[in-house]
Amino acid sequence: MPARILLLTTLAMLAFAGNSLLCRLALRETEIDAASFTAIRLFCGALTLWLLLRLRQGRRPVAGNWPGALALFIYAAAFSFAYLQLDTGAGALLLFGAVQLSMLLWGWLHGERLGLVAGLGTALATAGLLALLLPGASAPPLQAALLMLLAGIAWGVYSLLGRGLGDPLAVSAGNFLRATPLALLLAALLLGRLNWDGPGLFYALLSGALTSGIGYAIWYSALPGLRASQAATVQLSVPILAALGGSLLLGEALGLRLLLSAVAVLGGIALVLGSRQRGGS
């Protein structure tokens, strides 16, 4: 892998993990509420992506569509509300597992057949997610966990809707722009519960402009230099980076349940990706 592609890929994975870390940091350590965080994140992401698009392509229009924007909004809102209670690592693992498994399910429903190894990998990843959700002292709050699974499914749908729509940067800019009014509507519905402070606004701005907007732009710059299997496999690092960040910066415990679930989920998905690579797909 060329050094430039390796650097871009590393920065993109750090940005994706940073989204989880910034959201959890803001909602745990500052006064900002989840609806305000979502609206600011989407607005700043839309503005950043639009500016990047203008700098790169002049006056070419944004793209995207309303179904994609709705999926993006559901992801962003469920993500924020889930992190009111979830630790960073558990949230990232639930999100990532739900994204990958929902896309695998979509492929299976549309005729993609899993071989023995891929089937075992899918079962192992699913079992890992279920084990994380089982009742117990170390289990994440169920409502928050279900919200993060919803966020993952929504992101999987968003990714599937974006296939074949042309320039990913233009599509993302258009979808972020369309999703922003939906987030503002949610904030208006929760007007009496809105709250924020300077640090919370700063973290939301960073999440939207840096780890979302610029992070996605970096990822799209790296993608042409990656094989499909490489692009999928490298994302296995995101929950690990998020969990390490949560432990180092927020003092969150890396419990045995989380570690075992991570091994099962990420190992299972790695088996699926590895079987696809050997099969030439």
Side-chain angles (χ1 to χ4, degrees), residues 170-224:
V171 171
S172 290
N175 285 336
F176 266 77
L177 284 169
R178 291 179 178 88
T180 298
L182 299 177
L184 292 174
L185 176 60
L186 174 64
L189 292 174
L190 298 175
L191 189 60
R193 304 180 187 179
L194 300 186
N195 195 24
W196 58 79
D197 57 7
L201 291 173
F202 177 69
Y203 293 140
L205 187 151
L206 278 183
S207 179
L210 182 61
T211 58
S212 294
I214 294 176
Y216 295 167
I218 292 172
W219 178 234
Y220 298 143
S221 297
L223 275 176

Side-chain angles (χ1 to χ4, degrees), residues 46-72:
L47 181 60
T48 302
L49 288 165
W50 179 79
L51 289 172
L52 291 172
L53 192 65
R54 292 295 295 266
L55 288 172
R56 195 188 73 180
Q57 297 181 332
R59 295 188 176 276
R60 290 187 60 182
V62 298
N65 52 54
W66 281 106
L70 179 60
L72 175 63

Side-chain angles (χ1 to χ4, degrees), residues 4 16 30 51 92 97 106 108 112 117 120 131 143 160 167 174 202 218 239 262:
R4 173 180 173 275
F16 293 164
T30 79
L51 289 172
W106 175 269
W108 180 75
E112 292 183 15
V117 173
L120 290 174
Q143 183 177 356
L160 291 167
D167 180 7
F202 177 69
I218 292 172

Side-chain angles (χ1 to χ4, degrees), residues 25-276:
L25 179 63
L27 295 173
R28 196 185 84 168
E29 302 293 334
T30 79
E31 297 299 318
I32 197 168
D33 64 282
S36 296
F37 185 94
T38 302
I40 295 167
R41 178 189 176 191
L42 288 175
F43 172 76
C44 291
L47 181 60
T48 302
L49 288 165
W50 179 79
L51 289 172
L52 291 172
L53 192 65
R54 292 295 295 266
L55 288 172
R56 195 188 73 180
Q57 297 181 332
R59 295 188 176 276
R60 290 187 60 182
V62 298
N65 52 54
W66 281 106
L70 179 60
L72 175 63
F73 163 70
I74 293 173
Y75 148 75
F79 179 90
S80 297
F81 280 91
Y83 267 130
L84 287 170
Q85 294 180 288
L86 290 178
D87 282 352
T88 310
L93 181 61
L94 288 165
L95 175 74
F96 176 84
V99 170
Q100 296 295 324
L101 290 175
S102 62
M103 294 180 73
L104 287 172
L105 177 60
W106 175 269
W108 180 75
L109 291 173
H110 287 77
E112 292 183 15
R113 291 294 171 256
L114 298 177
L116 177 61
V117 173
L120 290 174
T122 302
L124 180 61
T126 304
L129 284 181
L130 292 175
L132 188 60
L133 297 175
L134 288 175
S138 59
L142 182 59
Q143 183 177 356
L146 292 177
L147 276 174
M148 191 59 84
L149 291 177
L150 174 61
I153 293 169
W155 186 256
V157 171
Y158 177 76
S159 301
L160 291 167
L161 289 173
R163 287 180 173 179
L165 290 184
D167 180 7
L169 190 61
V171 171
S172 290
N175 285 336
F176 266 77
L177 284 169
R178 291 179 178 88
T180 298
L182 299 177
L184 292 174
L185 176 60
L186 174 64
L189 292 174
L190 298 175
L191 189 60
R193 304 180 187 179
L194 300 186
N195 195 24
W196 58 79
D197 57 7
L201 291 173
F202 177 69
Y203 293 140
L205 187 151
L206 278 183
S207 179
L210 182 61
T211 58
S212 294
I214 294 176
Y216 295 167
I218 292 172
W219 178 234
Y220 298 143
S221 297
L223 275 176
L226 298 171
R227 295 193 304 271
S229 58
Q230 290 176 320
T233 304
V234 74
Q235 293 179 68
L236 295 171
S237 65
V238 174
I240 297 172
L241 291 170
L244 290 175
S247 177
L248 292 173
L249 299 177
L250 297 175
E252 296 173 348
L254 297 175
L256 181 61
R257 181 197 288 245
L258 175 62
L259 293 175
L260 292 177
S261 295
V263 169
V265 173
L266 302 182
I269 292 171
L271 284 175
V272 176
L273 297 175
S275 69
R276 286 183 169 182

